[in-house]
């Protein structure tokens, strides 16, 4: 983490890796974000998945194994667990062993017959799957448009890794946030209650705590920017003054107005996404969306 932070802050545009947003406090704040009135992705995707569940179930067929990448508390998963017939197993993959350990008994209570095999690991490099029936069809689940937080190289790595792991008759249910007006996007990433601002600034709290840095938390403000050229929302932390910060014995100078770029959240055009999917050996078999075309859930098969 220290190396990543030092490297990110050494560039001309200072950056910090967005995965560092998710310590325990950051994960709680993200949960709060998903319930905000301005943050349309979670409720929209939930509605799309609920409406699509019968069709997904028909296309997937009986006896599949569901593999979720970055499972967290497996909330949206329940829509699929309810709809898919005679599931042969559920494999939640997450970096947080704690989260997996907490979620498993809750799921097992509600799905007593379901074999649940949690795997601790980073979904970017899909870890080996546990011992599951090699004849069962494998269906990946990657909701939330988390794919939009990855850069091109990581998207390619993820898609290729999932293709290999899910096998030739594998399927992937992918949540994808769609391109739309900044009038909707900006408030979704800069809400009136300031929860997203706290989520962003918590990154500095974490670096102070874990790396002994001396960021003055009141000297940075949250900013959400729409980057049209790269079709993405960006989160930045803007320095409110000329100041310097020390981390791991190294000094970093900030000019007033200079930013640390902390997250990209790409918004996709499905025709453009098709080319990316094809490069990763996947193609769209079904596309589900909401009436406002805010978000989409894709069922991908092997190209
Ligand atoms: C987790 N990820 C899909 C969220 C997003 O919308 O990109 C993270 C987030 N950042 C700010 N608000 C939510």
């Amino acid at each position: 983490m220290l190396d990543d932070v030092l490297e990110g802050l050494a560039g001309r545009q200072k950056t910090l890796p967005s995965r560092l947003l998710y310590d325990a406090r950051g994960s709680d704040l993200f949960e709060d974000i998903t319930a905000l009135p301005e943050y349309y992705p979670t409720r929209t995707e939930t509605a799309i998945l609920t409406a699509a569940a019968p069709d997904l179930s028909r296309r997937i067929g009986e006896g599949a194994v569901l593999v979720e990448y970055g499972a967290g508390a497996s909330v949206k998963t329940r829509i699929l667990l309810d709809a898919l017939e005679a599931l042969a197993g559920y494999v939640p993959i997450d970096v947080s062993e704690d989260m997996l350990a907490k979620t498993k008994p809750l799921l097992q209570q509600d799905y007593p017959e379901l074999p649940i095999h949690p795997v601790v690991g980073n979904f970017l490099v899909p870890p080996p799957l546990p011992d599951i029936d090699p004849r069962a069809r494998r269906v990946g689940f990657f909701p939330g448009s988390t794919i939009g937080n990855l850069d091109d190289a990581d998207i390619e790595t993820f898609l290729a890794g999932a293709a290999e792991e899910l096998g030739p008759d594998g399927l992937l249910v992918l949540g994808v946030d769609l391109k739309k007006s900044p009038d909707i996007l900006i408030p979704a990433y800069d809400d009136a209650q300031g929860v997203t601002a706290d989520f962003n600034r918590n990154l500095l709290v974490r670096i102070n705590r874990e790396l002994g840095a001396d960021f003055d938390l009141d000297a940075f403000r949250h900013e959400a920017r729409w980057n049209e050229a790269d079709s993405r929302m960006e989160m930045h932390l803007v320095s409110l003054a000329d100041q310097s910060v020390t981390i791991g014995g190294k000094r970093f100078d900030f000019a007033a107005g200079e930013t640390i770029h902390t997250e990209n959240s790409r918004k996709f055009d499905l025709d453009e996404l098709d080319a990316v999917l094809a490069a990763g050996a996947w193609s769209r078999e079904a596309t589900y969306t909401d009436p406002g075309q805010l978000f989409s859930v894709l069922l991908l098969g092997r190209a």
Side-chain angles (χ1 to χ4, degrees):
M1 175 172 164
L2 179 63
D3 289 348
D4 289 348
V5 168
L6 295 181
E7 192 188 319
L9 294 180
R12 231 170 71 86
Q13 167 63 66
K14 294 180 170 69
T15 61
L16 286 170
S18 61
R19 62 186 159 72
L20 297 184
L21 290 163
Y22 300 91
D23 62 352
R25 171 89 182 125
S27 300
D28 285 349
L29 285 165
F30 177 63
E31 280 306 306
D32 295 344
I33 287 173
T34 63
L36 290 169
E38 297 96 330
Y39 194 74
Y40 63 86
T42 308
R43 62 172 180 279
T44 310
E45 184 181 43
T46 300
I48 297 170
L49 267 175
T50 305
D55 191 57
L56 282 170
S57 170
R58 191 180 54 74
R59 289 173 182 269
I60 290 169
E62 284 185 6
V65 171
L66 188 67
V67 180
E68 181 165 3
Y69 298 107
S74 304
V75 177
K76 291 170 200 156
T77 325
R78 287 169 175 264
I79 302 170
L80 293 181
L81 298 181
D82 288 340
L84 300 182
E85 297 203 26
L87 266 183
Y90 171 51
V91 182
I93 302 175
D94 204 281
V95 280
S96 167
E97 193 168 359
D98 261 16
M99 181 64 98
L100 290 169
K102 264 191 226 155
T103 305
K104 183 174 172 180
L106 298 174
L107 280 177
Q108 203 71 84
Q109 218 168 43
D110 295 337
Y111 303 91
E113 308 293 324
L114 179 68
I116 303 175
H117 309 278
V119 172
V120 181
N122 177 352
F123 61 78
L124 262 189
V125 193
L129 292 183
D131 209 7
I132 47 177
D133 184 348
R135 291 159 306 173
R137 178 176 230 184
R138 295 168 183 199
V139 180
F141 185 40
F142 192 37
S145 204
T146 302
I147 193 168
N149 298 133
L150 308 181
D151 64 22
D152 287 347
D154 283 349
I155 291 179
E156 213 180 297
T157 305
F158 168 72
L159 289 173
E164 173 153 357
E165 175 169 280
L166 299 172
D169 74 337
L171 295 168
L172 180 59
V173 179
L174 181 68
V176 173
D177 199 5
L178 301 177
K179 198 167 174 181
K180 62 185 64 65
S181 162
D183 295 344
I184 298 174
L185 288 166
I186 303 266
Y189 288 82
D190 191 7
D191 61 280
Q193 293 171 56
V195 183
T196 312
D198 286 350
F199 174 63
N200 197 6
R201 264 200 307 261
N202 179 60
L203 196 45
L204 304 185
V205 178
R206 177 177 187 181
I207 291 170
N208 278 355
R209 187 185 60 240
E210 293 187 28
L211 301 179
D214 60 357
F215 277 106
D216 174 358
L217 303 173
D218 294 325
F220 287 87
R221 74 172 168 80
H222 165 71
E223 189 170 287
R225 288 186 191 165
W226 170 242
N227 176 335
E228 174 71 34
D230 295 318
S231 192
R232 68 190 190 204
M233 282 303 300
E234 297 179 359
M235 292 207 306
H236 291 256
L237 289 163
V238 185
S239 174
L240 296 174
D242 292 342
Q243 56 181 317
S244 61
V245 174
T246 305
I247 311 168
K250 287 218 157 70
R251 189 180 126 166
F252 296 93
D253 295 319
F254 291 82
E258 185 179 0
T259 76
I260 312 173
H261 183 178
T262 54
E263 185 192 60
N264 289 318
S265 188
R266 208 152 129 192
K267 308 303 165 192
F268 295 92
D269 173 297
L270 289 183
D271 292 332
E272 286 166 20
L273 182 63
D274 282 340
V276 178
L277 297 176
W282 293 98
S283 69
R284 265 196 284 160
E285 289 195 357
T287 303
Y288 311 93
T289 186
D290 54 295
Q293 312 258 296
L294 295 174
F295 202 95
S296 68
V297 171
L298 311 178
L299 178 67
L300 307 179
R302 297 295 300 282

